Amino acid sequence: MTEAVEPDFDVIVVGAGPAGSVTAYRLAQQGLSVVLIERGEAPGAKNLSGGVLYGRVLDQVFPGFADEAPVERRITRHVTTFLTPDSAVSLDYRSERLAEPVNAVTVLRARFDPWLASKAEEAGVFLMAGVRVDALLTEPGPDGSPRVVGVRAGEDELRARVVVAADGVNSFLARDLGLRRTEPTHHLAVGVKTVLRLPRAVIEDRFGLTGDEGAAHAVVGDCTLGIGGGGFLYTNTESLSLGVVLRLDDLVRSGRTAIEVFEHFLEHPGLAPYVRDAQVQEYGSHLVAEGGAAMVGTLATHGMVVVGEAAGLTINSGLTVRGMDLAIGSAIAAADAIVEAVAAGDTTATGLAGYRRRLEASFVLQDLATYARAPKFLERPGMYGAYGELAADVFRRVFGLDTTPRRHLIGVARQALKKSPVTVRQLVSDGWAGVRAL
Ligand SMILES: Cc1cc2nc3c(=O)[nH]c(=O)nc-3n(C[C@H](O)[C@H](O)[C@H](O)COP(=O)(O)OP(=O)(O)OC[C@H]3O[C@@H](n4cnc5c(N)ncnc54)[C@H](O)[C@@H]3O)c2cc1C
């Protein structure tokens, strides 16, 4: 298909997060001319730092990336904790097998995103940082619906055969074309996050780590004052990333502010010893997509594809929060589909349909399908209060030897259950739902 006006580039990628930079890199590597537009003064400047990147998919793009990229620590310890006001019940998994081949690493986005974008530049991508895309340029498509032919940024217009919307959770590009609807509030969460500086030796002592080993703590219960969501605490080389992610509908219902909950988490006796004497390095707040499979909109239209969180590609399974690896997986699929479409001279929705096909064949849409029930399961109220209390009560009875005669574990559990607002029926129902969702 020939365009009326000769395009300036084969592809315009909007947003230099993991999705945008990897798409741009793959496209340039395969010989296409690409511009990568980022509104932040530098890639990563607008992204909240800190997070666990499940890195195997990035290894496919940059083999051995963890030895070259500015990654912080290799996660060898995952701790999941139920917090109550005065106790903590944890599942603590650590294994050196998680370090090699590298499974998950912590990254600080202010360092990691510029590295990814620099790889794209080395491959020939033209990076325009500090430029905000304001609108899509469209013309009537083959079936009368709009065909994207470029973008407008301020006074400037740029044209391309394909535009890639990699503009994150709020993606106005996808919304503008009606590819994503306005999300219900239970599909969104607000994240409040900080990076706290601590000497390397102190981090290693407090978390029982050596060398570049790292720990990832996921916390539920009293850390969010019972509001749907959770807290996290990740170790970087010389800092900690920690914060809370709060389901928007539940936060509004609670009448509390996200900052109030975040401060409660920071001062919680279960967490305070880890962050003692740490200095605040940065602080911010950001929306997170939480709807899972139900949130994924239309992925391709005439002249445009949507990648990463702009397409709603995130998974919160309760145990892991994933967005960056899915963003990278979608970038690989999108780039390969665009190369195919440009070569065939058809960049309409039909020509770009290979993007969805590739995503369906990859872990991205398959994992979203596997965890499709997780968001609904995580809306069940007992998750953030009663179950933590119940578990803590069982362990208090097991370890609190007060000279009364001991009972077998099953008797202890029955006693604790009798005192708890959780009914046997609810336990069975939630247990079954959990098995199917997670
Ligand atoms: C508190 C919190 C904790 C999280 N923890 C984790 C975690 O531990 N592990 C994990 O994998 N994921 C985590 N996530 C999710 C993860 O951050 C996202 O899923 C991931 O960053 C998505 O990548 P992306 O490239 O699609 O979008 P983004 O990283 O959001 O990048 C979008 C880019 O587009 C730019 N942009 C937006 N609009 C425009 C415009 N109009 N013009 C030009 N540029 C524009 C932005 O400045 C940004 O750089 C977390 C998110 C939050 C908020």
Side-chain angles (χ1 to χ4, degrees), residues 15 17-19 38-39 46 52 109 133 166-167 288 308-309 321 323-324:
E38 166 57 45
R39 67 180 171 173
K46 290 271 180 189
V52 171
R109 299 286 298 273
V133 168
D167 52 340
V288 199
E309 207 165 347
V321 176
M324 289 185 274

Side-chain angles (χ1 to χ4, degrees), residues 283-304:
Y283 176 81
S285 170
H286 204 278
L287 279 183
V288 199
E290 288 263 302
M295 208 170 153
V296 179
T298 306
L299 296 167
T301 184
H302 305 314
M304 187 168 102

Side-chain angles (χ1 to χ4, degrees), residues 17-366:
S21 287
V22 173
T23 309
Y25 171 81
R26 290 279 286 206
L27 288 167
Q29 219 194 11
Q30 295 179 73
L32 269 57
S33 62
V34 186
V35 60
L36 174 60
I37 307 180
E38 166 57 45
R39 67 180 171 173
E41 282 311 313
K46 290 271 180 189
N47 288 328
L48 270 188
S49 281
V52 171
L53 165 65
Y54 292 88
R56 290 288 180 87
V57 65
L58 193 57
D59 232 17
Q60 290 174 14
V61 185
F62 304 113
F65 82 94
D67 296 326
E68 186 199 336
V71 301
E72 298 290 314
R73 289 178 179 272
R74 297 174 187 223
I75 302 297
T76 51
R77 186 174 179 201
H78 288 270
V79 185
T80 307
T81 300
F82 277 103
L83 268 191
T84 75
D86 57 6
S87 45
V89 180
S90 299
L91 176 72
D92 189 344
Y93 169 64
R94 66 187 301 162
S95 170
E96 283 174 16
R97 289 169 62 189
L98 292 174
E100 211 56 61
V102 69
N103 177 61
V105 292
T106 41
V107 293
L108 289 169
R109 299 286 298 273
R111 299 179 63 215
F112 183 70
D113 287 14
W115 178 80
L116 269 185
S118 75
K119 298 305 277 185
E121 280 187 285
E122 280 168 25
V125 171
F126 178 49
L127 172 66
M128 285 171 71
V131 175
R132 205 181 81 121
V133 168
D134 297 314
L136 288 168
L137 302 178
T138 59
E139 288 172 359
D143 54 3
S145 65
R147 174 196 175 91
V148 178
V149 293
V151 300
R152 187 170 57 71
E155 301 292 295
D156 298 322
E157 290 189 354
L158 279 178
R159 290 180 165 252
R161 296 177 210 286
V162 182
V163 170
V164 177
D167 52 340
V169 60
N170 292 321
S171 184
F172 95 85
L173 298 188
R175 275 175 221 291
D176 222 29
L177 283 187
L179 304 187
R180 265 196 40 210
R181 59 193 178 129
T182 305
E183 299 300 333
T185 49
H186 67 276
H187 277 184
L188 292 172
V190 59
V192 184
K193 193 168 185 179
T194 188
V195 177
L196 300 177
R197 185 155 281 282
L198 268 180
R200 181 178 187 141
V202 174
I203 293 176
E204 287 163 10
D205 275 357
R206 281 187 194 172
F207 290 86
L209 306 169
T210 49
D212 59 1
E213 287 176 350
H217 287 242
V219 189
V220 287
D222 190 57
C223 58
T224 58
L225 289 161
I227 295 164
F232 59 88
L233 169 59
Y234 306 141
T235 57
N236 304 313
T237 310
E238 293 187 311
S239 63
L240 305 175
S241 295
L242 77 163
V244 289
V245 175
L246 306 165
R247 225 177 54 230
L248 216 46
D249 60 334
D250 222 16
L251 178 66
V252 170
R253 221 176 359 247
S254 75
R256 294 185 185 272
T257 64
I259 303 296
E260 210 178 317
V261 181
F262 172 72
E263 282 172 358
H264 170 79
F265 178 51
L266 219 54
E267 287 160 14
H268 197 286
L271 192 84
Y274 290 119
V275 301
R276 199 175 48 242
D277 301 329
Q279 305 299 318
V280 176
Q281 185 176 318
E282 60 177 87
Y283 176 81
S285 170
H286 204 278
L287 279 183
V288 199
E290 288 263 302
M295 208 170 153
V296 179
T298 306
L299 296 167
T301 184
H302 305 314
M304 187 168 102
V305 300
V306 192
V307 294
E309 207 165 347
L313 303 174
T314 57
I315 295 174
N316 178 358
S317 72
L319 296 175
T320 53
V321 176
R322 294 169 51 192
M324 289 185 274
D325 62 319
L326 300 169
I328 293 164
S330 69
I332 296 171
D336 294 352
I338 291 168
V339 168
E340 185 180 75
V342 169
D346 180 4
T347 54
T348 64
T350 312
L352 292 166
Y355 172 39
R356 180 175 269 278
R357 272 200 306 279
R358 283 176 168 80
L359 272 188
E360 281 169 354
S362 82
F363 74 95
V364 176
L365 285 186
Q366 291 182 18

